Amino acid sequence: MKSDQVKGTIFSELDDQRVLQELDMEAFEEQFKTKSQSPPVDLGTLKKKMAQKTPSGASLMEPNKAKNLAITLRKECVAASDICSAIETYNQQALSLDFLELLERFIPTEYEMKLIQTYESEGRSLDELSEEERFMVRFGKIPRLSQRISTLTFMGNFPESIQSIQPHLNAIIAASMSVRSSRKLKEILEIILAFGNYMNSSKRGPAYGFHLQSLDLLTDTKSTDRKQTLLHFIVSIIQEKYPELQNFYTELHFLDKAALGNQTL
């Protein structure tokens, strides 16, 4: 920058300072002050203005949950009262399965139920609440709500579940009929029962049958010399006295499929 330009700038600044001293800046500031220059607003006044802009309704739900509930209710296009009535009467046809599964996420928490109880105990009107909150109040009063929704969900899934497990059920039924009709297996069980009655004769009278889980005792019961189990002893007796029963397993069918199906179920 040239020297004359520098001098001109300095003189301009000096002139500005002189002019500022001769002008009434208070009148200028009053007429042209910006918002940032405005005097601070009284805190009490600000609170009153905020209260006027804020809805008077109470909040019984977390905002995001209320928003998601509103979206869910719009999807089903069923009145809130009809939804609650369907759950109370187990009306499976009134509500879709997908909607029921979504509703499970909106079961009121213990904290939300306390908020509802407090709100009602104060005698406040439901009209102050949003549509979603009014639904939550009605929804939360359904007895055993969680169990009812679970039951309805189970009922809705039942046909598909039956179709899925039917092959396994058929295998189990077929295997059960095979076991029941096996003559050789029945005779083996009679031999086991005879030994059991003999061992327990001093404790109680003869039994006419035993539970299947009692067969586990055959491997747990050992001889006095601890060299063999009761199962091994009975096997040796069958091989010696009843050799025709050794191939009893040939009368049993579908056992592998039944065992696989039982694990799946």
Side-chain angles (χ1 to χ4, degrees), residues 5-42:
Q5 291 177 331
V6 173
K7 291 179 181 179
T9 302
I10 293 174
F11 286 134
S12 296
E13 292 176 355
L14 291 175
D15 290 341
D16 289 341
Q17 292 178 10
R18 180 177 57 82
V19 171
L20 286 173
Q21 293 175 359
E22 294 173 352
L23 294 177
D24 182 7
M25 300 308 298
E26 291 181 2
F28 174 81
E29 183 179 354
E30 182 64 23
Q31 295 294 325
F32 297 94
K33 61 186 178 182
T34 62
K35 291 182 179 179
S36 60
Q37 295 170 320
S38 301
V41 180
D42 180 70

Side-chain angles (χ1 to χ4, degrees), residues 29-98:
E29 183 179 354
E30 182 64 23
Q31 295 294 325
F32 297 94
K33 61 186 178 182
T34 62
K35 291 182 179 179
S36 60
Q37 295 170 320
S38 301
V41 180
D42 180 70
L43 185 59
T45 304
L46 180 61
K47 288 183 177 179
K48 289 181 181 179
K49 290 183 178 180
M50 292 298 294
Q52 293 174 354
K53 295 181 180 180
T54 304
S56 60
S59 177
L60 301 180
M61 299 176 62
E62 191 270 330
N64 286 337
K65 185 174 182 179
K67 179 180 178 181
N68 292 332
L69 176 57
I71 295 173
T72 301
L73 293 176
R74 284 197 297 268
K75 285 182 178 179
E76 191 69 6
C77 296
V78 178
S81 58
D82 293 337
I83 293 173
C84 295
S85 297
I87 295 174
E88 289 173 331
T89 59
Y90 295 99
N91 186 353
Q92 180 191 350
Q93 307 301 324
L95 305 174
S96 67
L97 181 59
D98 291 341

Side-chain angles (χ1 to χ4, degrees), residues 37-178:
Q37 295 170 320
S38 301
V41 180
D42 180 70
L43 185 59
T45 304
L46 180 61
K47 288 183 177 179
K48 289 181 181 179
K49 290 183 178 180
M50 292 298 294
Q52 293 174 354
K53 295 181 180 180
T54 304
S56 60
S59 177
L60 301 180
M61 299 176 62
E62 191 270 330
N64 286 337
K65 185 174 182 179
K67 179 180 178 181
N68 292 332
L69 176 57
I71 295 173
T72 301
L73 293 176
R74 284 197 297 268
K75 285 182 178 179
E76 191 69 6
C77 296
V78 178
S81 58
D82 293 337
I83 293 173
C84 295
S85 297
I87 295 174
E88 289 173 331
T89 59
Y90 295 99
N91 186 353
Q92 180 191 350
Q93 307 301 324
L95 305 174
S96 67
L97 181 59
D98 291 341
F99 180 68
L100 283 170
E101 292 174 346
L102 288 175
L103 274 184
E104 284 188 293
R105 295 186 289 177
F106 299 103
I107 294 176
T109 63
E110 183 178 351
Y111 175 72
E112 288 171 336
M113 289 303 301
K114 288 182 179 179
L115 289 179
I116 294 173
Q117 292 169 2
T118 301
Y119 184 88
E120 292 187 318
S121 65
E122 293 174 351
R124 302 179 64 178
S125 173
L126 295 179
D127 294 336
E128 297 181 24
L129 300 176
S130 65
E131 182 180 351
E132 296 75 38
E133 289 170 326
R134 289 196 297 270
F135 172 79
M136 185 64 74
V137 173
R138 174 72 173 85
F139 189 53
K141 292 181 180 179
I142 298 176
R144 300 178 299 280
L145 175 59
S146 179
Q147 292 86 342
R148 287 175 184 269
I149 292 181
S150 297
T151 300
L152 283 167
T153 302
F154 175 80
M155 292 167 61
N157 285 318
F158 189 75
E160 183 178 350
S161 300
I162 286 295
Q163 186 176 2
S164 174
I165 66 176
Q166 192 64 52
H168 306 303
L169 289 175
N170 292 338
I172 293 174
I173 293 172
S176 300
M177 293 179 64
S178 174

